[in-house]
Amino acid sequence: MKIKIGNITVFLLDSYDMISKRAAAMVASQVTVKPKSVLGLATGSTPVGMYQELVKMYQKDEVDFSDIRTFNLDEYFPIQQDNEQSYAYYMNQNLFSHINIKKESIHIPNGATSDVGIECDVYDKAMEDAGGIDLQVLGIGNNGHIGFNEPNLHFETGTHVVELDAGTIQANARFFQSESEVPRQAISMGIRNIMNAKKIVLLANGAAKADIMEKMLYGEVSPHVPASVLQLHRDVTVLLDQEAGAKIRSHIK
Ligand code: PGA
């Protein structure tokens, strides 16, 4: 089912598989229509299925990634790129090593930088030089974060260093040996970077995301729920499975 909530188009889908396929189809058509597309990419467990679909489409010759450029939303700080928990490693494992993207077209904040202030400026400049993001893929944290823009008193604009929330550290500990190994900081695109994208697609699945999806779509726009700012964007598509969309379904019945 497809509904409109304010400016946002919401697809209430049956399963995680359907979210993954629809998101992959959106990315693939973006790249087909504009082979030199600049894609904004996300990590976490949610987009794994989308990346698998994109790899399958590539293997079937349905999409060519040779001219795209990519910018990832965020990276832990500090972290080495070859650390299996880094987002650089994740992107390589889930997508980049399986497709024909050029290495020099991949951008991920450098979590091993010795000057994080400069790294943030360089990242902003590289995005600007690329002409901005055509299609940004987003997940959402249980606390409403997008990228690592945690709930805050104000919206951070450009790429910046973030102190991770206790809840985010706890949520992400499942990927590490123990919670104490989760880095306490990250480098993240800011809200301006995300809002400057021409198109945005946000994916969420599972019951743990039901409450935050209701807040994001029906609540007031507030930096306490960073994803709520997407209500102000012109071209946002949200893809939800049954569980993540449960509260939204109750609004429309
Ligand atoms: P998840 O993370 O996909 O692992 O739920 C989403 C996020 O924190 O943005």
Side-chain angles (χ1 to χ4, degrees), residues 42-48 73-74 87 90 138-143 145-148 168 171-172 174-175 203-205 209:
T43 50
S45 48
T46 310
V48 168
L73 282 167
D74 48 20
Y87 290 159
Y90 168 108
L138 295 176
I140 183 168
N142 298 344
N143 62 3
H145 73 203
I146 45 178
F148 270 134
T168 299
N172 290 6
R174 67 188 194 276
F175 301 113
L203 290 55
N205 69 293
K209 300 283 168 73

Side-chain angles (χ1 to χ4, degrees), residues 42-245:
T43 50
S45 48
T46 310
V48 168
M50 177 194 76
Y51 291 134
Q52 284 168 354
E53 290 299 324
L54 286 170
V55 170
K56 278 192 225 156
M57 292 172 98
Y58 170 71
Q59 286 165 346
K60 286 193 269 177
D61 247 345
E62 291 171 3
V63 58
D64 174 11
F65 295 104
S66 59
D67 282 332
I68 65 162
R69 281 161 295 166
T70 63
F71 287 87
N72 264 78
L73 282 167
D74 48 20
E75 177 61 283
Y76 288 116
F77 177 74
I79 201 156
Q80 297 295 321
Q81 280 178 8
D82 59 0
N83 183 317
E84 290 186 15
Q85 305 309 336
S86 76
Y87 290 159
Y89 190 92
Y90 168 108
M91 287 308 301
N92 217 32
Q93 289 288 110
N94 285 291
L95 183 67
F96 295 148
S97 66
H98 307 288
I99 62 171
N100 64 338
I101 187 172
K102 294 188 189 85
K103 238 183 151 157
E104 63 271 23
S105 303
I106 296 169
H107 301 83
I108 301 176
N110 178 8
T113 182
S114 58
D115 191 328
V116 75
I118 291 182
E119 176 62 21
C120 291
D121 292 346
V122 165
Y123 206 66
D124 278 345
K125 175 87 173 35
M127 264 185 281
E128 212 179 289
D129 290 349
I133 289 168
D134 291 303
L135 174 63
Q136 175 68 55
V137 177
L138 295 176
I140 183 168
N142 298 344
N143 62 3
H145 73 203
I146 45 178
F148 270 134
N149 292 277
E150 301 283 32
N152 202 341
L153 298 176
H154 60 278
F155 290 118
E156 289 278 354
T157 56
T159 303
H160 60 289
V161 179
V162 184
E163 302 293 329
L164 297 182
D165 266 13
T168 299
I169 292 170
Q170 214 174 36
N172 290 6
R174 67 188 194 276
F175 301 113
F176 291 79
Q177 300 276 7
S178 72
E179 199 174 310
S180 64
E181 282 182 24
V182 184
R184 268 32 192 175
Q185 291 182 309
I187 303 170
S188 179
M189 277 189 204
I191 295 295
R192 185 190 66 233
N193 303 121
I194 294 170
M195 290 296 279
N196 275 347
K198 294 186 187 83
K199 277 189 208 148
I200 296 175
V201 57
L202 182 145
L203 290 55
N205 69 293
K209 300 283 168 73
D211 284 343
I212 197 63
M213 289 317 304
E214 184 182 38
K215 285 197 187 120
M216 171 197 150
L217 291 165
Y218 290 103
E220 64 176 291
V221 174
S222 155
H224 296 297
V225 180
S228 64
V229 76
L230 300 174
Q231 292 177 25
L232 306 178
H233 193 281
R234 254 176 288 108
D235 193 344
V236 178
T237 302
V238 168
L239 307 178
L240 304 176
D241 73 347
Q242 289 270 6
E243 288 82 15

